[in-house]
Amino acid sequence: MGHAVAVWNQQVAMEITKDWNGIDQVTLRSPRGASTRVSLYGGQVMSWRNDRGEELLFTGNKAIFKPPKAMRGGIPLCFPQFGNGGCLEQHGFARNKIWIIDDNPPPLHQSNSNGKAFDDLLLKSSEEDFKCWPHSFEFRLRVSLATNGDLNLISRIRNINGKPFSFSFAYHTYLCVSDISEVRIEGLETLDYLDNLCQRERFTEQGDAITFETEVDRVYITSPNVIAVLDHEKKQTVVIRKDVIAVLDHEKKQTVVIRKDGLPDVVVWNPWEKKSKAMIDIGDDEYKQMLCVDDDGTNHVAEQLQQGSVDLAYTLLPAPGDRNVCLLGQPGTSTQLPHSLVFDSQFLNPSHLLGNPTART
């Protein structure tokens, strides 16, 4: 029902179960042991594990998963608003809605279907939505897992009645790191950024890398082709190119790669100690194990939407040498939608994407 496994790879497993709230959740497993789990509450990816069972996405021990509150962690879907810059609740309402499984999903494209199990979730506009956001839409989320553990997310937002509307979108991805003080991001030096802690005042990055000694909440404008996020304790590196971000954790010997396409900006966020203590759904010291690095386009209008659609791509994967590459979702674009918009987020299994990232280990 509403899911499929490519006939040439029957070993890839898919299972629908109920969580402790009685809400359906879909788990996809690869023959090598990687898995991902997505909840029908919010269409939110709750977990992505490599073939050793190691969790690559952050969820706090105090996370609250009880409707109508959205859960902090994993990959929340932000639609039709990213952040709190509009008239809706922060990050929009899609993450607080119950989605449905599509009973008759379209097949995967042949070139993108080898060995992939997938499931399609749908969210459609309702009369309740019209009270706060009067637009007709259909949001299709496809979650697929390849034989090698690559995780792929495709978000397709369709305008039902053809009347253009503005919205913003994000995959608000939480990365799991060893110790935030051991993480550094390279590739954003000399860029301008908007500092959300200083009323979005514009600054220019002065350091040769971004390190973390206090709270950080910045939007780096028009990011370059390559960005590297280094975690010395995990022995892990994340490299972010024009379409790829890789995170290296030296201690875990794990690499997380974020591939982005179509959204030029990068959001870097860690709440640090003081703000974490004020959050009821994150432990006092758990800020040390999390880092949000979101691709963001809220400061730009996608030209492709003039023709009715735009594609944004992402990938999560494990890399060779016990490195895990996590290609994460692409956040935040605000634009006019005459017809449909497609967000393609692929999360690749770290062990095969990077080859030998000579970068920084």
Side-chain angles (χ1 to χ4, degrees):
M1 104 181 191
H3 57 269
V5 177
V7 296
W8 48 85
N9 190 354
Q10 297 291 346
Q11 290 180 300
V12 181
M14 200 284 277
E15 181 183 19
I16 300 175
T17 58
K18 291 188 180 297
D19 64 18
W20 51 89
N21 291 311
I23 298 173
D24 283 347
Q25 55 185 359
V26 179
T27 299
L28 302 177
R29 296 185 179 89
S30 80
R32 300 175 187 174
S35 66
T36 186
R37 176 166 45 88
V38 58
S39 172
L40 268 64
Y41 181 63
Q44 184 167 344
V45 174
M46 310 294 290
S47 171
W48 185 87
R49 292 179 180 269
N50 61 20
D51 54 13
R52 297 185 300 278
E54 298 167 338
E55 182 60 65
L56 301 175
L57 301 177
F58 171 84
T59 300
N61 292 327
K62 296 172 65 175
I64 300 170
F65 186 57
K66 189 174 181 61
K69 183 176 177 59
M71 191 202 76
R72 185 185 303 280
I75 309 177
L77 297 175
C78 302
F79 175 86
Q81 179 176 299
F82 178 48
N84 56 7
C87 61
L88 301 174
E89 59 187 292
Q90 180 164 317
H91 297 325
F93 53 71
R95 64 186 187 145
N96 297 322
K97 299 289 185 179
I98 297 292
W99 295 50
I100 62 172
I101 297 175
D102 187 0
D103 290 324
N104 189 29
L108 284 173
H109 190 278
Q110 183 67 27
S111 63
N112 193 34
S113 60
N114 188 17
K116 285 188 178 179
F118 71 94
D119 196 74
D120 281 26
L121 306 183
L122 289 176
L123 178 68
K124 298 182 179 181
S125 51
S126 66
E127 292 185 5
E128 180 183 354
D129 299 332
F130 266 74
K131 296 177 182 178
C132 60
W133 200 69
H135 305 292
S136 298
F137 71 91
E138 178 190 85
F139 190 149
R140 174 183 298 274
L141 172 68
R142 171 162 294 181
V143 182
S144 61
L145 188 71
T147 305
N148 55 17
D150 293 359
L151 174 62
N152 179 263
L153 301 184
I154 299 175
S155 290
R156 173 169 293 168
I157 298 158
R158 186 164 66 94
N159 189 328
I160 299 299
N161 61 17
K163 295 181 180 179
F165 54 80
S166 297
F167 71 96
S168 55
F169 171 86
Y171 293 104
H172 187 28
T173 307
Y174 287 75
L175 291 175
C176 181
V177 299
S178 59
D179 187 333
I180 189 63
S181 64
E182 297 294 329
V183 173
R184 49 190 273 145
I185 301 175
E186 296 186 357
L188 298 175
E189 53 273 14
T190 75
L191 286 188
D192 285 358
Y193 64 87
L194 305 178
D195 194 330
N196 289 322
L197 302 179
C198 297
Q199 299 182 325
R200 292 180 67 83
E201 186 175 351
R202 186 165 181 151
F203 298 92
T204 300
E205 181 61 52
Q206 301 295 325
D208 58 0
I210 300 171
T211 55
F212 298 87
E213 299 177 350
T214 186
E215 180 183 358
V216 173
D217 189 356
R218 303 172 182 172
V219 181
Y220 285 84
I221 301 170
T222 313
S223 62
N225 289 356
V226 180
I227 302 169
V229 182
L230 291 82
D231 187 331
H232 297 292
E233 185 167 334
K234 279 189 175 181
K235 299 178 181 176
Q236 168 178 293
T237 300
V238 173
V239 176
I240 306 172
R241 294 168 244 167
K242 179 179 181 181
D243 62 344
V244 175
I245 299 175
V247 179
L248 282 75
D249 190 322
H250 298 292
E251 179 67 19
K252 283 189 175 180
K253 299 180 180 178
Q254 170 178 295
T255 302
V256 175
V257 173
I258 304 171
R259 179 170 294 166
K260 66 191 186 78
D261 181 25
L263 295 174
D265 304 334
V266 170
V267 175
V268 178
W269 178 63
N270 182 281
W272 214 253
E273 184 176 8
K274 183 178 179 180
K275 185 165 287 186
S276 293
K277 289 182 177 180
M279 296 178 177
I280 63 173
D281 54 358
I282 185 172
D284 290 352
D285 294 325
E286 286 188 322
Y287 71 92
K288 297 177 181 179
Q289 280 75 55
M290 62 155 285
L291 173 63
C292 288
V293 182
D294 300 339
D295 305 322
D296 179 15
T298 54
N299 298 301
H300 301 264
V301 175
E303 295 179 0
Q304 295 94 321
L305 288 184
Q306 300 301 321
Q307 286 75 45
S309 66
V310 63
D311 293 339
L312 305 176
Y314 322 91
T315 309
L316 175 73
L317 60 132
D322 288 331
R323 291 192 175 120
N324 296 309
V325 179
C326 170
L327 299 182
L328 302 178
Q330 179 101 18
T333 186
S334 179
T335 186
Q336 294 289 322
L337 182 67
H339 302 295
S340 64
L341 179 61
V342 179
F343 300 89
D344 184 354
S345 175
Q346 194 174 16
F347 301 81
L348 306 183
N349 207 327
S351 56
H352 60 278
L353 239 187
L354 289 187
N356 182 21
T358 60
R360 301 127 167 113
T361 55

